[in-house]
Amino acid sequence: AVAANVAVQQPRADLFALARVFAAAGDGETRQREVLGGVLYGPRPGGRPGQEIPLGFADLAAVVGKALAVLAPGTPVEIVPGPEERPEYHPRAAGRVLVGGQPVGWAGRLHPDVAEGFEIAGEIYAFEVDCREAVAYTREHPGLLPIPRHPSSERDVSLLVPASTPASAALKVVAEMDESEIESISVF
């Protein structure tokens, strides 16, 4: 489908599908899963009219996070390195999708050889998530937070890390700091 969009000169294609997938299990039985899958290709709209920015892993992580926020609201979502089981993904730009610490799928940039097989120039990002697994890990609603006594303030902090450092590793280090003042962590 991405190749068809590229063939008619569409610069961007974001395609999603929800389907039942059947696969052979180790015991000779057939296993059925409900899978949400998606493919992202092409530049993203920039902050100004006419501006475009290249597609990146953060765009994929945002799409996966938003999709799983519907399936498992309030449950932490992360993508951790681990493409060794999935050769169709690039080894340094892919990983397992975790919901509440439990694996529910895969996400990452397609391996250049796979993209080349489709005769598509440029990076293609893809994900697949087992919907039933994601829903199974939905945590209970934490309840309401008390109204703050003081006005809120917001501060952004940026970290510079070597290009070889996966984004998930940097996120993990900051999350392990367990600072109560850190309310959210994101990659941009």
Side-chain angles (χ1 to χ4, degrees):
V2 172
N5 279 276
V6 170
V8 294
Q9 300 179 357
Q10 288 295 321
R12 177 180 173 184
D14 294 347
L15 308 168
F16 306 94
L18 180 61
R20 286 196 176 117
V21 176
F22 299 91
D27 57 4
E29 295 290 319
T30 301
R31 184 170 167 243
Q32 175 181 326
R33 300 181 309 143
E34 302 266 343
V35 174
L36 171 64
V39 178
L40 308 177
Y41 171 80
R44 307 288 103 179
R48 297 184 200 127
Q51 181 185 21
E52 293 181 339
I53 54 176
L55 175 65
F57 192 85
D59 298 307
L60 174 69
V63 168
V64 171
K66 288 178 183 177
L68 289 171
V70 173
L71 293 172
T75 307
V77 175
E78 58 184 328
I79 301 175
V80 297
E84 57 277 344
E85 295 177 37
R86 301 298 297 266
E88 66 270 21
Y89 289 111
H90 192 287
R92 290 189 299 144
R96 295 292 312 237
V97 177
L98 305 180
V99 172
Q102 301 299 318
V104 298
W106 289 88
R109 187 171 80 198
L110 289 184
H111 196 283
D113 295 340
V114 174
E116 188 177 294
F118 291 113
E119 298 179 0
I120 298 172
E123 296 179 350
I124 302 171
Y125 287 83
F127 72 92
E128 67 176 67
V129 173
D130 187 322
C131 296
R132 290 183 186 176
E133 292 292 324
V135 171
Y137 296 112
T138 302
R139 71 178 182 189
E140 293 184 27
H141 189 278
L144 300 176
L145 298 174
I147 297 174
R149 293 179 49 193
H150 305 287
S152 66
S153 66
E154 192 172 294
R155 183 161 306 216
D156 292 336
V157 177
S158 297
L159 301 175
L160 294 175
V161 297
S164 61
T165 303
S168 61
L171 290 173
K172 184 177 179 182
V173 168
V174 175
E176 288 174 349
M177 292 172 60
D178 199 29
E179 291 287 336
S180 61
E181 292 84 20
I182 299 175
E183 292 182 0
S184 66
I185 306 166
S186 64
V187 176
F188 56 92

PDB file of all heavy atoms in Angstrom, residues 152-176:
ATOM      1  N   SER A 152       1.141  25.901  38.998  1.00  0.00           N
ATOM      2  CA  SER A 152       2.113  24.994  38.391  1.00  0.00           C
ATOM      3  C   SER A 152       3.154  25.775  37.604  1.00  0.00           C
ATOM      4  O   SER A 152       2.933  26.916  37.208  1.00  0.00           O
ATOM      5  CB  SER A 152       1.403  24.012  37.466  1.00  0.00           C
ATOM      6  OG  SER A 152       0.845  24.707  36.374  1.00  0.00           O
ATOM      7  N   SER A 153       4.282  25.134  37.406  1.00  0.00           N
ATOM      8  CA  SER A 153       5.321  25.700  36.547  1.00  0.00           C
ATOM      9  C   SER A 153       5.844  24.561  35.681  1.00  0.00           C
ATOM     10  O   SER A 153       5.770  23.399  36.048  1.00  0.00           O
ATOM     11  CB  SER A 153       6.446  26.328  37.367  1.00  0.00           C
ATOM     12  OG  SER A 153       7.125  25.340  38.094  1.00  0.00           O
ATOM     13  N   GLU A 154       6.361  24.944  34.523  1.00  0.00           N
ATOM     14  CA  GLU A 154       6.844  23.931  33.591  1.00  0.00           C
ATOM     15  C   GLU A 154       8.269  24.253  33.202  1.00  0.00           C
ATOM     16  O   GLU A 154       8.607  25.409  32.965  1.00  0.00           O
ATOM     17  CB  GLU A 154       5.944  23.938  32.354  1.00  0.00           C
ATOM     18  CG  GLU A 154       6.166  22.759  31.450  1.00  0.00           C
ATOM     19  CD  GLU A 154       5.131  22.710  30.351  1.00  0.00           C
ATOM     20  OE1 GLU A 154       3.945  22.503  30.650  1.00  0.00           O
ATOM     21  OE2 GLU A 154       5.533  22.885  29.201  1.00  0.00           O
ATOM     22  N   ARG A 155       9.107  23.237  33.152  1.00  0.00           N
ATOM     23  CA  ARG A 155      10.498  23.428  32.787  1.00  0.00           C
ATOM     24  C   ARG A 155      10.913  22.260  31.899  1.00  0.00           C
ATOM     25  O   ARG A 155      10.657  21.113  32.222  1.00  0.00           O
ATOM     26  CB  ARG A 155      11.365  23.467  34.018  1.00  0.00           C
ATOM     27  CG  ARG A 155      12.808  23.744  33.698  1.00  0.00           C
ATOM     28  CD  ARG A 155      13.545  24.216  34.889  1.00  0.00           C
ATOM     29  NE  ARG A 155      12.844  25.360  35.472  1.00  0.00           N
ATOM     30  CZ  ARG A 155      13.437  26.377  36.017  1.00  0.00           C
ATOM     31  NH1 ARG A 155      14.735  26.427  36.063  1.00  0.00           N
ATOM     32  NH2 ARG A 155      12.755  27.364  36.545  1.00  0.00           N
ATOM     33  N   ASP A 156      11.554  22.587  30.788  1.00  0.00           N
ATOM     34  CA  ASP A 156      12.072  21.572  29.883  1.00  0.00           C
ATOM     35  C   ASP A 156      13.560  21.411  30.123  1.00  0.00           C
ATOM     36  O   ASP A 156      14.276  22.394  30.314  1.00  0.00           O
ATOM     37  CB  ASP A 156      11.860  21.961  28.418  1.00  0.00           C
ATOM     38  CG  ASP A 156      10.389  21.957  28.028  1.00  0.00           C
ATOM     39  OD1 ASP A 156       9.616  21.256  28.687  1.00  0.00           O
ATOM     40  OD2 ASP A 156      10.037  22.649  27.068  1.00  0.00           O
ATOM     41  N   VAL A 157      14.009  20.174  30.101  1.00  0.00           N
ATOM     42  CA  VAL A 157      15.425  19.874  30.233  1.00  0.00           C
ATOM     43  C   VAL A 157      15.807  18.996  29.055  1.00  0.00           C
ATOM     44  O   VAL A 157      15.119  18.029  28.756  1.00  0.00           O
ATOM     45  CB  VAL A 157      15.719  19.131  31.564  1.00  0.00           C
ATOM     46  CG1 VAL A 157      17.186  18.750  31.649  1.00  0.00           C
ATOM     47  CG2 VAL A 157      15.312  19.981  32.742  1.00  0.00           C
ATOM     48  N   SER A 158      16.880  19.341  28.377  1.00  0.00           N
ATOM     49  CA  SER A 158      17.351  18.549  27.240  1.00  0.00           C
ATOM     50  C   SER A 158      18.639  17.843  27.621  1.00  0.00           C
ATOM     51  O   SER A 158      19.466  18.377  28.360  1.00  0.00           O
ATOM     52  CB  SER A 158      17.610  19.437  26.035  1.00  0.00           C
ATOM     53  OG  SER A 158      16.424  20.052  25.620  1.00  0.00           O
ATOM     54  N   LEU A 159      18.812  16.639  27.105  1.00  0.00           N
ATOM     55  CA  LEU A 159      20.021  15.870  27.336  1.00  0.00           C
ATOM     56  C   LEU A 159      20.698  15.615  26.006  1.00  0.00           C
ATOM     57  O   LEU A 159      20.031  15.280  25.021  1.00  0.00           O
ATOM     58  CB  LEU A 159      19.694  14.520  27.978  1.00  0.00           C
ATOM     59  CG  LEU A 159      18.970  14.550  29.320  1.00  0.00           C
ATOM     60  CD1 LEU A 159      18.623  13.130  29.735  1.00  0.00           C
ATOM     61  CD2 LEU A 159      19.827  15.206  30.367  1.00  0.00           C
ATOM     62  N   LEU A 160      22.007  15.750  25.962  1.00  0.00           N
ATOM     63  CA  LEU A 160      22.773  15.400  24.775  1.00  0.00           C
ATOM     64  C   LEU A 160      23.451  14.068  25.051  1.00  0.00           C
ATOM     65  O   LEU A 160      24.158  13.914  26.050  1.00  0.00           O
ATOM     66  CB  LEU A 160      23.820  16.465  24.459  1.00  0.00           C
ATOM     67  CG  LEU A 160      23.285  17.829  24.043  1.00  0.00           C
ATOM     68  CD1 LEU A 160      24.438  18.816  23.886  1.00  0.00           C
ATOM     69  CD2 LEU A 160      22.509  17.717  22.756  1.00  0.00           C
ATOM     70  N   VAL A 161      23.204  13.093  24.176  1.00  0.00           N
ATOM     71  CA  VAL A 161      23.795  11.765  24.325  1.00  0.00           C
ATOM     72  C   VAL A 161      24.449  11.385  22.999  1.00  0.00           C
ATOM     73  O   VAL A 161      24.101  11.924  21.953  1.00  0.00           O
ATOM     74  CB  VAL A 161      22.737  10.716  24.737  1.00  0.00           C
ATOM     75  CG1 VAL A 161      22.149  11.041  26.092  1.00  0.00           C
ATOM     76  CG2 VAL A 161      21.646  10.616  23.695  1.00  0.00           C
ATOM     77  N   PRO A 162      25.373  10.442  23.017  1.00  0.00           N
ATOM     78  CA  PRO A 162      25.985  10.001  21.758  1.00  0.00           C
ATOM     79  C   PRO A 162      24.921   9.467  20.792  1.00  0.00           C
ATOM     80  O   PRO A 162      23.905   8.907  21.217  1.00  0.00           O
ATOM     81  CB  PRO A 162      26.936   8.878  22.188  1.00  0.00           C
ATOM     82  CG  PRO A 162      27.202   9.129  23.633  1.00  0.00           C
ATOM     83  CD  PRO A 162      25.964   9.765  24.183  1.00  0.00           C
ATOM     84  N   ALA A 163      25.148   9.625  19.499  1.00  0.00           N
ATOM     85  CA  ALA A 163      24.195   9.182  18.481  1.00  0.00           C
ATOM     86  C   ALA A 163      23.952   7.676  18.553  1.00  0.00           C
ATOM     87  O   ALA A 163      22.899   7.193  18.158  1.00  0.00           O
ATOM     88  CB  ALA A 163      24.684   9.564  17.093  1.00  0.00           C
ATOM     89  N   SER A 164      24.903   6.925  19.081  1.00  0.00           N
ATOM     90  CA  SER A 164      24.750   5.473  19.166  1.00  0.00           C
ATOM     91  C   SER A 164      23.854   5.046  20.325  1.00  0.00           C
ATOM     92  O   SER A 164      23.482   3.882  20.419  1.00  0.00           O
ATOM     93  CB  SER A 164      26.119   4.815  19.305  1.00  0.00           C
ATOM     94  OG  SER A 164      26.747   5.258  20.496  1.00  0.00           O
ATOM     95  N   THR A 165      23.484   5.974  21.212  1.00  0.00           N
ATOM     96  CA  THR A 165      22.638   5.642  22.356  1.00  0.00           C
ATOM     97  C   THR A 165      21.180   5.576  21.926  1.00  0.00           C
ATOM     98  O   THR A 165      20.646   6.539  21.395  1.00  0.00           O
ATOM     99  CB  THR A 165      22.783   6.709  23.462  1.00  0.00           C
ATOM    100  OG1 THR A 165      24.145   6.818  23.826  1.00  0.00           O
ATOM    101  CG2 THR A 165      21.947   6.351  24.686  1.00  0.00           C
ATOM    102  N   PRO A 166      20.515   4.424  22.138  1.00  0.00           N
ATOM    103  CA  PRO A 166      19.090   4.346  21.795  1.00  0.00           C
ATOM    104  C   PRO A 166      18.273   5.280  22.688  1.00  0.00           C
ATOM    105  O   PRO A 166      18.599   5.478  23.866  1.00  0.00           O
ATOM    106  CB  PRO A 166      18.712   2.890  22.077  1.00  0.00           C
ATOM    107  CG  PRO A 166      19.991   2.153  22.243  1.00  0.00           C
ATOM    108  CD  PRO A 166      21.039   3.154  22.618  1.00  0.00           C
ATOM    109  N   ALA A 167      17.237   5.859  22.136  1.00  0.00           N
ATOM    110  CA  ALA A 167      16.378   6.770  22.896  1.00  0.00           C
ATOM    111  C   ALA A 167      15.805   6.071  24.121  1.00  0.00           C
ATOM    112  O   ALA A 167      15.691   6.662  25.192  1.00  0.00           O
ATOM    113  CB  ALA A 167      15.264   7.309  22.011  1.00  0.00           C
ATOM    114  N   SER A 168      15.466   4.793  23.975  1.00  0.00           N
ATOM    115  CA  SER A 168      14.880   4.070  25.101  1.00  0.00           C
ATOM    116  C   SER A 168      15.858   3.953  26.268  1.00  0.00           C
ATOM    117  O   SER A 168      15.449   3.955  27.428  1.00  0.00           O
ATOM    118  CB  SER A 168      14.409   2.684  24.656  1.00  0.00           C
ATOM    119  OG  SER A 168      15.504   1.935  24.177  1.00  0.00           O
ATOM    120  N   ALA A 169      17.162   3.870  25.985  1.00  0.00           N
ATOM    121  CA  ALA A 169      18.157   3.788  27.059  1.00  0.00           C
ATOM    122  C   ALA A 169      18.213   5.095  27.840  1.00  0.00           C
ATOM    123  O   ALA A 169      18.281   5.089  29.066  1.00  0.00           O
ATOM    124  CB  ALA A 169      19.524   3.446  26.478  1.00  0.00           C
ATOM    125  N   ALA A 170      18.175   6.223  27.129  1.00  0.00           N
ATOM    126  CA  ALA A 170      18.183   7.521  27.805  1.00  0.00           C
ATOM    127  C   ALA A 170      16.917   7.691  28.644  1.00  0.00           C
ATOM    128  O   ALA A 170      16.972   8.169  29.781  1.00  0.00           O
ATOM    129  CB  ALA A 170      18.303   8.645  26.788  1.00  0.00           C
ATOM    130  N   LEU A 171      15.763   7.293  28.088  1.00  0.00           N
ATOM    131  CA  LEU A 171      14.504   7.391  28.833  1.00  0.00           C
ATOM    132  C   LEU A 171      14.542   6.522  30.088  1.00  0.00           C
ATOM    133  O   LEU A 171      14.067   6.925  31.147  1.00  0.00           O
ATOM    134  CB  LEU A 171      13.329   6.972  27.949  1.00  0.00           C
ATOM    135  CG  LEU A 171      12.974   7.924  26.820  1.00  0.00           C
ATOM    136  CD1 LEU A 171      11.910   7.303  25.926  1.00  0.00           C
ATOM    137  CD2 LEU A 171      12.489   9.245  27.366  1.00  0.00           C
ATOM    138  N   LYS A 172      15.133   5.339  29.960  1.00  0.00           N
ATOM    139  CA  LYS A 172      15.199   4.419  31.094  1.00  0.00           C
ATOM    140  C   LYS A 172      16.042   4.999  32.224  1.00  0.00           C
ATOM    141  O   LYS A 172      15.667   4.915  33.392  1.00  0.00           O
ATOM    142  CB  LYS A 172      15.761   3.079  30.634  1.00  0.00           C
ATOM    143  CG  LYS A 172      15.778   2.022  31.702  1.00  0.00           C
ATOM    144  CD  LYS A 172      16.290   0.700  31.158  1.00  0.00           C
ATOM    145  CE  LYS A 172      16.311  -0.340  32.260  1.00  0.00           C
ATOM    146  NZ  LYS A 172      16.845  -1.614  31.791  1.00  0.00           N
ATOM    147  N   VAL A 173      17.175   5.610  31.889  1.00  0.00           N
ATOM    148  CA  VAL A 173      18.050   6.200  32.909  1.00  0.00           C
ATOM    149  C   VAL A 173      17.322   7.299  33.671  1.00  0.00           C
ATOM    150  O   VAL A 173      17.358   7.358  34.894  1.00  0.00           O
ATOM    151  CB  VAL A 173      19.350   6.740  32.271  1.00  0.00           C
ATOM    152  CG1 VAL A 173      20.121   7.608  33.249  1.00  0.00           C
ATOM    153  CG2 VAL A 173      20.213   5.600  31.784  1.00  0.00           C
ATOM    154  N   VAL A 174      16.618   8.159  32.947  1.00  0.00           N
ATOM    155  CA  VAL A 174      15.892   9.251  33.599  1.00  0.00           C
ATOM    156  C   VAL A 174      14.749   8.690  34.443  1.00  0.00           C
ATOM    157  O   VAL A 174      14.507   9.134  35.570  1.00  0.00           O
ATOM    158  CB  VAL A 174      15.372  10.268  32.554  1.00  0.00           C
ATOM    159  CG1 VAL A 174      14.511  11.322  33.218  1.00  0.00           C
ATOM    160  CG2 VAL A 174      16.545  10.917  31.844  1.00  0.00           C
ATOM    161  N   ALA A 175      14.017   7.692  33.918  1.00  0.00           N
ATOM    162  CA  ALA A 175      12.900   7.104  34.666  1.00  0.00           C
ATOM    163  C   ALA A 175      13.392   6.428  35.950  1.00  0.00           C
ATOM    164  O   ALA A 175      12.711   6.466  36.975  1.00  0.00           O
ATOM    165  CB  ALA A 175      12.149   6.111  33.793  1.00  0.00           C
ATOM    166  N   GLU A 176      14.572   5.807  35.904  1.00  0.00           N
ATOM    167  CA  GLU A 176      15.117   5.122  37.079  1.00  0.00           C
ATOM    168  C   GLU A 176      15.576   6.084  38.161  1.00  0.00           C
ATOM    169  O   GLU A 176      15.834   5.676  39.286  1.00  0.00           O
ATOM    170  CB  GLU A 176      16.258   4.197  36.666  1.00  0.00           C
ATOM    171  CG  GLU A 176      15.780   2.963  35.928  1.00  0.00           C
ATOM    172  CD  GLU A 176      16.923   2.108  35.398  1.00  0.00           C
ATOM    173  OE1 GLU A 176      18.095   2.569  35.418  1.00  0.00           O
ATOM    174  OE2 GLU A 176      16.632   0.988  34.965  1.00  0.00           O
TER     175      GLU A 176
END
